[in-house]
Amino acid sequence: MKTFLKIIGALILLGAVLFGYIFYMGRSRGPEISEQATKFLSLASDFDAENAHDFFSDELKRAVSFEDFANDIDSYFYRLDFVSQEQTGFYFFIGMPESAPYNIFKLRRFYEYDGVVTYARGQEGTINAVFIREDGQWKILAFDISDPYPKY
């Protein structure tokens, strides 16, 4: 019975340490991720497709070509007129890529970012983006930016 309680105690301690590490990593990376999100939105709002596309992860670049993204900037971002954004939430997690499931040596760090975006005319929207650590930098794996203008 004592051995069983020691094992349970060790597992609880390990879980607490792991939770603390994940929470610390999420909080400590917030300013860096927020800066990346702001730079990306500024470039996209300024129609700088080439530099904004550089913020994409390799996976997102394979899914969204430069040409498609450049067209999206012309048809979507021109309406946004981005001024600023502020982080409202985050979720940090570690996972395995689809290309190497079950390979613990290929673990990747993901950061899900939530923020409030302010546009030039005072409207507010939201940004939700998933960043991935790639070549020492946080890159965008997926993003969704709300459009403050009604669609007719």
Side-chain angles (χ1 to χ4, degrees), residues 23-152:
F23 185 77
Y24 167 76
M25 290 300 290
R27 297 285 288 176
S28 67
R29 299 297 186 242
E32 181 183 357
I33 301 289
S34 185
E35 183 178 331
Q36 291 289 90
T38 299
K39 287 179 183 176
F40 170 74
L41 288 169
S42 292
L43 291 167
S45 187
D46 291 340
F47 309 106
D48 189 348
E50 187 172 335
N51 287 317
H53 197 254
D54 288 341
F55 281 77
F56 284 15
S57 67
D58 289 341
E59 282 181 63
L60 187 55
K61 284 180 180 177
R62 283 191 297 275
V64 180
S65 70
F66 173 75
E67 293 76 21
D68 289 343
F69 180 64
N71 290 335
D72 286 345
I73 281 184
D74 288 342
S75 65
Y76 181 76
F77 283 94
Y78 80 94
R79 297 189 320 231
L80 298 186
D81 206 8
F82 167 76
V83 172
S84 66
Q85 68 88 28
E86 181 179 324
Q87 183 173 2
T88 59
F90 72 91
Y91 182 68
F92 180 80
F93 57 100
I94 298 171
M96 295 180 198
E98 289 181 14
S99 61
Y102 313 115
N103 186 342
I104 62 169
F105 299 107
K106 299 244 182 201
L107 290 177
R108 296 165 67 184
R109 295 179 286 170
F110 299 89
Y111 192 104
E112 186 172 335
Y113 179 90
D114 295 310
V116 173
V117 180
T118 304
Y119 303 105
R121 296 186 189 118
Q123 301 94 334
E124 288 190 344
T126 58
I127 178 174
N128 175 269
V130 176
F131 287 81
I132 187 168
R133 195 77 174 166
E134 193 174 87
D135 299 325
Q137 296 181 349
W138 288 100
K139 299 284 189 158
I140 298 171
L141 181 62
F143 67 94
D144 180 49
I145 303 166
S146 67
D147 186 345
Y149 303 107
K151 296 174 180 69
Y152 296 104

